[in-house]
Amino acid sequence: MPIYILGLLQRFGPQHGYQIKKIIAEQLSDFTQIKLPTIYYHLEKLENDGLLSANREKPGNRPEKTVYSISNKGIEAFSDMLHALLEFDYRPALPSDGVFYFSDYLEPLEIIEHLEIYIEKLEKIITSIQRHKNETLHFVPDEVKTMVQIIFRHHEFHYRAELDWAVETLNSLNK
């Protein structure tokens, strides 16, 4: 979460919490595991760590807003975090494997029913990613289109692989 907040503030300049939540929801939700309600917790922590500065503003009769800016220390931390990601570590968490490991404690039909629901969910996610990719590509600058396509394809490939596995598993259980 901190890398995205720091990166967004570096890219878009000072923002208040709601603006940050909106950017994350619109641009990052397909490929990050960010829980939007925790944003303010992270903003406060980043501020306490000296990675952000916060200015309280009261525009007219409107409620007070806190506008966050990335500090020099935050710029350095963002760069360090981004470079650490270049290690391209891949260790997926697959908690649903526990269902199959302990399947002797479940009814086979229960597993099949939940797999069918899961398959529908994966199909909807893939459709949503494709739709969001098409919408996004219309407004991103040309110089980042390739990178945006890479991100969307990366996630689409993973969801398609999971869908293929789920369909194969369902077929295997239905035999």
Side-chain angles (χ1 to χ4, degrees), residues 137-150:
L137 288 175
H138 289 300
F139 70 83
V140 297
D142 287 341
E143 62 268 13
V144 296
K145 276 191 189 215
T146 298
M147 296 306 176
V148 169
Q149 287 175 324
I150 288 169

Side-chain angles (χ1 to χ4, degrees), residues 61-99:
N61 291 335
R62 309 225 30 175
E64 181 177 89
K65 290 183 180 181
T66 304
V67 177
Y68 298 92
S69 302
I70 189 167
S71 66
N72 287 335
K73 184 177 176 184
I75 292 170
E76 290 176 28
F78 171 71
S79 179
D80 291 345
M81 290 176 199
L82 193 56
H83 283 89
L85 292 178
L86 286 172
E87 297 302 317
F88 291 103
D89 186 28
Y90 181 70
R91 297 190 57 124
L94 303 170
S96 57
D97 286 348
V99 167

Side-chain angles (χ1 to χ4, degrees), residues 154-169:
H154 189 202
H155 290 268
E156 189 178 336
F157 281 138
H158 281 273
Y159 279 106
R160 283 194 184 283
E162 185 70 3
L163 176 60
D164 290 347
W165 168 83
V167 168
E168 180 181 293
T169 302

Side-chain angles (χ1 to χ4, degrees), residues 21 46-47 52-53 69 74 79 95 101 116 140 152 170-171:
K21 284 173 74 168
L46 291 168
E47 180 186 4
L52 300 180
S53 62
S69 302
S79 179
Y101 186 79
E116 289 169 343
V140 297
F152 278 110
L170 182 63
N171 290 338

Side-chain angles (χ1 to χ4, degrees), residues 23-83:
I23 293 168
I24 289 170
E26 291 173 353
Q27 297 185 21
L28 303 173
S29 63
D30 288 326
F31 58 90
T32 60
Q33 301 295 321
I34 297 173
K35 293 177 176 60
L36 293 177
T38 66
I39 296 247
Y40 292 100
Y41 164 80
H42 290 288
L43 288 168
E44 185 176 318
K45 183 165 179 5
L46 291 168
E47 180 186 4
N48 290 339
D49 292 344
L51 304 178
L52 300 180
S53 62
N55 295 319
R56 275 67 176 172
E57 297 177 354
K58 184 157 175 49
N61 291 335
R62 309 225 30 175
E64 181 177 89
K65 290 183 180 181
T66 304
V67 177
Y68 298 92
S69 302
I70 189 167
S71 66
N72 287 335
K73 184 177 176 184
I75 292 170
E76 290 176 28
F78 171 71
S79 179
D80 291 345
M81 290 176 199
L82 193 56
H83 283 89

Side-chain angles (χ1 to χ4, degrees), residues 107-167:
E107 293 296 322
L109 273 177
E110 188 177 16
I111 297 171
I112 289 170
E113 288 171 7
H114 284 273
L115 265 173
E116 289 169 343
I117 292 167
Y118 185 51
I119 288 168
E120 288 177 25
K121 180 180 175 182
L122 290 169
E123 289 170 340
K124 287 177 183 174
I125 290 170
I126 292 167
T127 300
S128 175
I129 289 172
Q130 290 169 336
R131 185 178 61 251
H132 192 206
K133 177 180 69 175
N134 292 334
E135 292 167 357
T136 302
L137 288 175
H138 289 300
F139 70 83
V140 297
D142 287 341
E143 62 268 13
V144 296
K145 276 191 189 215
T146 298
M147 296 306 176
V148 169
Q149 287 175 324
I150 288 169
I151 292 167
F152 278 110
R153 291 295 291 153
H154 189 202
H155 290 268
E156 189 178 336
F157 281 138
H158 281 273
Y159 279 106
R160 283 194 184 283
E162 185 70 3
L163 176 60
D164 290 347
W165 168 83
V167 168

